[in-house]
Amino acid sequence: MAVTSGGFSSIQTKFNAALAQNLPQRCTELAKIIDEHHTKDLHSIYTTLLENIFGFNYYTGWGLKTLNRKTQPMEFNAVKAFLCPGGPMFRLFYKLQSDAFIRYEFPLSCLPIPTRLALQEGAVPVFYSNKLQILQHGRPANFLSLNAFEFFFFQFVYFMVHPQNHKVMNNWVLPADMLYPCLLEDYLNHFLPVEGEAPALPNTSSPIGSPHSPSHIRPQSPAGSYHQTLSSPAGPYHQTLSSPYGSPQANILVRRALISPGVPAGDTGVHECWLSESFLQIVVEFWLNQNALRIPTAQSDGKSGTPQGCNSLDVTYRDLAQQLKDSFMPSKDHVRIVRMLVKHVHYFSNSAREVSVSSPYHSPALPPIEELKRAIIPQFVQKKLYAFLRHGFDHWPLDHTFRLMLETWLSYIQPWRYSDPTRPNIPGRDARDRMSPEKWAQFVADNLLFYTNLFHVFLTRVFRLDLSSPRNAYMLFRVAKVYGQPNLAQVIEDCERDLCEPVQRMAPVRRHGRDGLYGDGASFLSPPATNPAAILRMQCLELESSGFEYRPMFGDHTKAAITQLLQILIQARRTAQTFTPPDDTSSSLLAWMGLSGQTEPTTPMGEGEEFGGADLRKLDVHLEQSIHFLCMIFTLDPPATQTEAHLSTPGGRMEADRTLPPDCTEGEAGQVLTPRGRYQMMNGLRRFDIGYHGDPELQPIRSFENPTLVRALYKLSTLINQRFSDHLQAVYHREDLIGRLAYQYLSPPYPSPPTRLSPIQAQRHTHYSSQPRISLRFLASYQNLGYLLALLFLGYMFSVGPVKLVLFFLLGLVAYGIVMVVVTYDRWKPLRHTE
């Protein structure tokens, strides 16, 4: 398009000056430019503006992934107001949208790999049918031709999967405070409204256009392209493009416009649904379609992989197949926004209005937005979300971050929780948590593989996890609790029974729902009366590969795996009990104040994890509840019965012996591990207690202790104990008041060693003292030294001399001893007899 040099120079100068400002001032200046200039002038800066916003082509970006509502409120509000629906950016691309000849280039190399493979094979999705440019000799170009609306949202959603951003997108602790999730929520509410009408496209002709743009019209793009991360392939594709009309996943509104010539070009309903549907397809394409379960190959279609004369590709089919083999692993923030999308899709689908059918021979005419609400799950989301979740279940690392993927899956299979967005959803306290078979049985049938096959994949992951970890145990508890909801297991079992029965014996499909016409979650394009077995088998073929073999969730194989899992859960509960910190009720007040020289022994958690007492208490509850729900879902025997049967087997006895030390024999230097003992230790069947079991007086010097004082006080304590050992022992074992006071002041004899000491520890333990003794090591602590200095300072402030201060200190110790004798009187006598 021709642009006058004067107008171009004027807007370019203002544009460059605006970009040099800080973010709040920049947004204000750009809003003025957008409102004051015409379409031709704005067209020249549109591409550069988007690159500057999203950080492409060496621009730093506006911080969409880092701006926080609390730490940067001014920048956050300014950018959000600029990009939100109805803001300056929306006014800008709506202005540019009014000119049908303004197009922008988006490289094919930035599309998801499954889409690029499909385009290379000649299978053009309908969504791309009017965006591909056909060059001479029928060869496709290496870019898409997009209008201003599509170009903005292509870059918005590509921002999440851009290689530069994808590696660092793991920092959203609270997504509600971050800019990008807030913008996404605004866009979802704007284009997929739960209440009200969808946005209409203002002042433009039909956006649907021709399925193939005329090859003689060259799309115009301003200067500036994707040089580094958005580079396009140089050459054309190998094969010609086939017609998009026969695609089974054809866009419902595009197909209606192509088949029904009576639809006027300026139909408002088509316009509003075009905006909503285009936004939805762009989001689903880039966020859910990065991996495919089936890889299309030329050989499978009976075609040659490299036709003659077509071998000039920068990105070859072999390279793309290798990239697909390596797979795309979404970031944690990527999974978070996918869950946001899933929840909003449920809200949007569940807001469909009821339709009354007056005659079985008449189909009621529904508004386009209502058709979209009924078709959004089966036609746009279901297949790609299944591939997204299946890939995540197969490839996500075996750590606690898998909970993000897990919660996305659980959100999708519980649509009954997302019916009213205005009311807070509190699990367990709302009637929406109840799964009603009459209302949701059809959704479960239409999404059966989400409930059964993904459960099998999750079960495979569970067997590789350490269920004695609180985070892993909580993930299993979440799944067991969801499947343990009333009626859900029964509905899944009924659907499996329909799937396994012969097709010719089946009755017409049972459809539940609000309207009885399409059913909740069922496609409105499907026949009103169809065999359920045929529908379920078609679903398996659609979502999985051709060699997929369905395993019933309630079959014998699955129940055997659940029985094995219950034994692992029982063993995890036993292991968790060893992690619980001991409750030493006989500890003295000096130990509570940190004045004791002894250090409380700690128990290793394994895998470098450390948890508090609350987490450990929850761990036992989650393991117990998981056992309860799994037994209820699969109608298995209680764990106690299974434990007795399990302990009667050799494998069960081996697991029960894990509390014993490894097998050892007596050698010249003491106990030596046998080959069986080494095998037990290497496989984690048995182990020695790892901890400090030596003389408490010889513990390593801590960082909060003075090394010089520790050594000096140890020599002094040793001298006193050696000279007065007989007197200390006699006083400690007296039965009168003096003996009870000595029990409070003296350190008790070294306790008996644990049953699982290593041979070296057992040998050294014989040298440790077994008599009561005086321990002065607590005086070497910097904290206690500070208390003494504070006491001296108080004495100086109140004119108390050193002699009086020492007397007050001794009186305080005597008073403390008497109080503790009175408090611990009931526990003192039996404890002394057991020593």
Side-chain angles (χ1 to χ4, degrees):
M1 297 189 60
V3 180
T4 61
S5 59
F8 176 80
S9 176
S10 174
I11 190 174
Q12 194 68 32
T13 302
K14 295 180 181 179
F15 179 68
N16 293 334
L19 294 183
Q21 304 291 329
N22 56 30
L23 274 178
Q25 188 65 25
R26 184 187 311 172
C27 294
T28 303
E29 295 298 328
L30 289 175
K32 294 179 181 178
I33 295 175
I34 293 172
D35 294 334
E36 293 174 358
H37 288 77
H38 298 290
T39 301
K40 295 181 180 180
D41 297 334
L42 296 174
H43 168 59
S44 62
I45 65 171
Y46 188 58
T47 300
T48 306
L49 175 60
L50 295 188
E51 291 175 353
N52 191 274
I53 292 175
F54 296 106
F56 300 145
N57 266 1
Y58 306 105
Y59 288 100
T60 57
W62 289 13
L64 299 187
K65 64 178 181 292
T66 57
L67 283 180
N68 190 290
R69 188 197 308 268
K70 296 180 179 178
T71 59
Q72 300 167 291
M74 293 184 59
E75 292 80 0
F76 179 93
N77 294 327
V79 178
K80 187 174 183 292
F82 185 83
L83 299 177
C84 71
M89 179 54 68
F90 271 62
R91 297 199 300 270
L92 172 59
F93 62 64
Y94 281 149
K95 272 188 178 182
L96 299 174
Q97 192 79 8
S98 61
D99 191 340
F101 291 96
I102 294 181
R103 311 290 288 184
Y104 300 91
E105 297 179 0
F106 189 85
L108 291 180
S109 61
C110 299
L111 296 179
I113 295 178
T115 300
R116 282 184 275 166
L117 289 175
L119 292 175
Q120 185 172 345
E121 290 297 320
V124 182
V126 175
F127 180 64
Y128 293 101
S129 59
N130 63 335
K131 299 174 178 59
L132 286 172
Q133 292 296 305
I134 307 302
L135 304 179
Q136 296 178 357
H137 308 294
R139 298 179 300 175
N142 53 10
F143 55 83
L144 296 177
S145 179
L146 308 175
N147 57 41
F149 172 84
E150 295 168 336
F151 190 59
F152 172 79
F153 282 106
F154 263 71
Q155 298 212 37
F156 176 79
V157 298
Y158 180 70
F159 179 82
M160 278 300 300
V161 297
H162 189 283
Q164 180 180 348
N165 297 326
H166 177 260
K167 298 178 182 179
V168 296
M169 278 280 186
N170 296 304
N171 58 345
W172 291 345
V173 179
L174 294 175
D177 294 333
M178 306 305 294
L179 177 60
Y180 193 92
C182 291
L183 287 174
L184 174 63
E185 185 176 4
D186 291 343
Y187 295 157
L188 289 172
N189 293 328
H190 180 71
F191 292 107
L192 302 175
V194 177
E195 298 179 357
E197 300 297 331
L201 188 64
N203 300 327
T204 180
S205 58
S206 176
I208 296 177
S210 171
H212 294 289
S213 299
S215 59
H216 64 277
I217 299 179
R218 177 69 177 178
Q220 302 192 12
S221 177
S225 59
Y226 298 77
H227 300 299
Q228 181 183 14
T229 57
L230 299 181
S231 58
S232 305
Y237 282 100
H238 291 112
Q239 302 170 6
T240 59
L241 301 176
S242 60
S243 172
Y245 299 107
S247 173
Q249 294 295 329
N251 178 301
I252 58 172
L253 299 179
V254 170
R255 186 170 62 220
R256 192 180 93 168
L258 294 175
I259 296 176
S260 305
V263 177
D267 183 28
T268 304
V270 174
H271 281 190
E272 72 174 46
C273 280
W274 176 82
L275 287 175
S276 301
E277 189 182 348
S278 296
F279 169 77
L280 176 64
Q281 285 193 332
I282 294 171
V283 168
V284 170
E285 174 70 11
F286 279 89
W287 291 349
L288 302 182
N289 196 36
Q290 293 293 335
N291 298 285
L293 296 180
R294 290 177 290 180
I295 303 177
T297 59
Q299 288 78 3
S300 63
D301 298 333
K303 302 177 184 179
S304 173
T306 55
Q308 296 181 357
C310 299
N311 54 3
S312 57
L313 272 178
D314 287 347
V315 183
T316 62
Y317 171 77
R318 182 175 302 176
D319 294 334
L320 293 177
Q322 182 62 34
Q323 294 180 39
L324 184 58
K325 181 180 179 181
D326 295 339
S327 76
F328 173 90
M329 181 58 65
S331 64
K332 290 186 286 186
D333 292 336
H334 184 175
V335 180
R336 287 187 179 100
I337 63 171
V338 169
R339 190 185 180 206
M340 290 177 58
L341 173 65
V342 168
K343 293 163 70 173
H344 189 86
V345 164
H346 277 318
Y347 281 127
F348 181 71
S349 178
N350 293 336
S351 65
R353 293 178 297 182
E354 296 184 0
V355 178
S356 59
V357 181
S358 58
S359 172
Y361 304 100
H362 173 69
S363 298
L366 297 175
I369 191 64
E370 293 296 322
E371 292 184 353
L372 182 60
K373 289 180 179 180
R374 287 162 170 78
I376 186 173
I377 290 180
Q379 190 166 338
F380 297 100
V381 176
Q382 184 189 57
K383 182 176 181 180
K384 294 180 180 179
L385 179 62
Y386 181 82
F388 176 83
L389 293 175
R390 177 63 189 275
H391 177 270
F393 276 46
D394 288 337
H395 297 88
W396 198 274
L398 290 172
D399 56 19
H400 66 277
T401 60
F402 180 72
R403 183 182 170 186
L404 297 171
M405 187 72 66
L406 184 75
E407 293 296 341
T408 304
W409 170 48
L410 297 180
S411 294
Y412 181 77
I413 64 176
Q414 299 181 89
W416 45 87
R417 292 187 59 192
Y418 308 103
S419 56
D420 188 0
T422 60
R423 298 169 57 191
N425 193 351
I426 304 176
R429 303 181 185 180
D430 202 318
R432 291 172 291 171
D433 289 335
R434 301 172 185 172
M435 193 276 178
S436 173
E438 293 77 12
K439 186 175 183 180
W440 300 108
Q442 189 58 46
F443 180 88
V444 176
D446 291 340
N447 298 273
L448 183 62
L449 290 186
F450 285 87
Y451 292 89
T452 58
N453 194 47
L454 290 182
F455 179 82
H456 284 299
V457 182
F458 172 74
L459 202 60
T460 304
R461 291 183 60 95
V462 170
F463 282 108
R464 303 173 184 173
L465 296 175
D466 178 15
L467 294 180
S468 61
S469 169
R471 294 167 178 170
N472 295 335
Y474 181 73
M475 287 192 291
L476 177 61
F477 165 73
R478 287 282 296 122
V479 176
K481 182 179 179 182
V482 169
Y483 278 83
Q485 296 178 83
N487 306 317
L488 180 57
Q490 184 62 42
V491 171
I492 297 175
E493 191 172 5
D494 293 342
C495 294
E496 284 191 334
R497 189 181 302 112
D498 292 344
L499 175 64
C500 297
E501 292 190 11
V503 174
Q504 60 270 17
R505 293 173 52 191
M506 298 302 301
V509 65
R510 302 179 298 273
R511 293 198 176 272
H512 309 280
R514 291 180 291 264
D515 47 32
L517 180 64
Y518 308 128
D520 294 341
S523 172
F524 77 100
L525 299 174
S526 59
T530 314
N531 215 289
I535 292 178
L536 294 175
R537 293 173 187 177
M538 183 64 67
Q539 179 189 145
C540 295
L541 293 175
E542 184 70 19
L543 298 182
E544 285 286 352
S545 57
S546 57
F548 171 71
E549 181 180 356
Y550 184 81
R551 288 186 300 166
M553 180 174 172
F554 295 93
D556 295 336
H557 178 79
T558 306
K559 289 188 176 181
I562 296 298
T563 303
Q564 183 181 359
L565 177 60
L566 291 175
Q567 305 306 324
I568 297 176
L569 290 173
I570 295 172
Q571 180 60 37
R573 291 192 67 187
R574 295 198 201 104
T575 306
Q577 293 175 358
T578 64
F579 295 157
T580 305
D583 185 15
D584 188 9
T585 57
S586 62
S587 60
S588 64
L589 181 60
L590 286 176
W592 176 77
M593 296 177 61
L595 303 181
S596 175
Q598 301 183 41
T599 303
E600 183 180 0
T602 58
T603 304
M605 293 291 299
E607 298 184 3
E609 293 182 289
E610 296 181 358
F611 302 97
D615 294 327
L616 295 176
R617 287 190 293 270
K618 292 179 181 179
L619 170 61
D620 187 69
V621 174
H622 292 156
L623 292 174
E624 181 182 4
Q625 291 297 316
S626 299
I627 295 174
H628 168 72
F629 283 121
L630 290 174
C631 291
M632 180 182 64
I633 296 168
F634 294 94
T635 61
L636 298 175
D637 296 333
T641 304
Q642 291 184 357
T643 304
E644 295 173 1
H646 180 63
L647 291 178
S648 64
T649 63
R653 287 193 298 270
M654 181 179 295
E655 291 186 3
D657 292 341
R658 293 186 66 179
T659 57
L660 300 177
D663 290 347
C664 298
T665 59
E666 291 293 337
E668 296 180 357
Q671 291 186 337
V672 180
L673 283 172
T674 63
R676 179 181 178 84
R678 287 193 293 270
Y679 171 81
Q680 292 169 343
M681 291 191 66
M682 287 188 297
N683 292 273
L685 300 178
R686 297 184 185 181
R687 65 177 181 177
F688 293 107
D689 279 342
I690 302 175
Y692 185 82
H693 300 288
D695 188 348
E697 298 299 320
L698 297 177
Q699 295 184 69
I701 298 176
R702 306 298 200 273
S703 60
F704 55 82
E705 293 177 325
N706 186 287
T708 304
L709 284 178
V710 169
R711 297 185 181 98
L713 292 172
Y714 173 72
K715 293 180 181 180
L716 179 60
S717 301
T718 303
L719 180 62
I720 297 175
N721 292 327
Q722 290 177 353
R723 180 167 299 184
F724 303 100
S725 60
D726 296 337
H727 299 282
L728 294 177
Q729 186 173 4
V731 172
Y732 185 81
H733 289 90
R734 290 177 60 171
E735 299 290 340
D736 54 4
L737 179 62
I738 302 299
R740 297 181 184 181
L741 289 174
Y743 179 77
Q744 299 297 330
Y745 297 135
L746 298 179
S747 296
Y750 187 74
S752 59
T755 59
R756 289 189 289 175
L757 284 179
S758 67
I760 301 299
Q761 289 176 317
Q763 183 179 5
R764 293 178 176 176
H765 187 269
T766 58
H767 301 289
Y768 303 149
S769 174
S770 59
Q771 295 181 353
R773 61 202 181 279
I774 292 177
S775 177
L776 301 177
R777 182 166 176 171
F778 69 94
L779 294 175
S781 171
Y782 290 118
Q783 181 181 10
N784 296 333
L785 291 175
Y787 291 154
L788 292 177
L789 291 177
L791 184 62
L792 292 175
F793 180 74
L794 290 176
Y796 174 77
M797 292 293 294
F798 292 97
S799 300
V800 179
V803 178
K804 294 182 179 180
L805 198 61
V806 171
L807 291 176
F808 287 150
F809 181 74
L810 294 177
L811 288 175
L813 286 179
V814 173
Y816 157 77
I818 295 175
V819 170
M820 292 304 298
V821 166
V822 174
V823 172
T824 61
Y825 177 78
D826 295 334
R827 291 177 293 171
W828 175 79
K829 194 167 185 177
L831 182 63
R832 295 294 297 270
H833 284 293
T834 59
E835 291 178 352

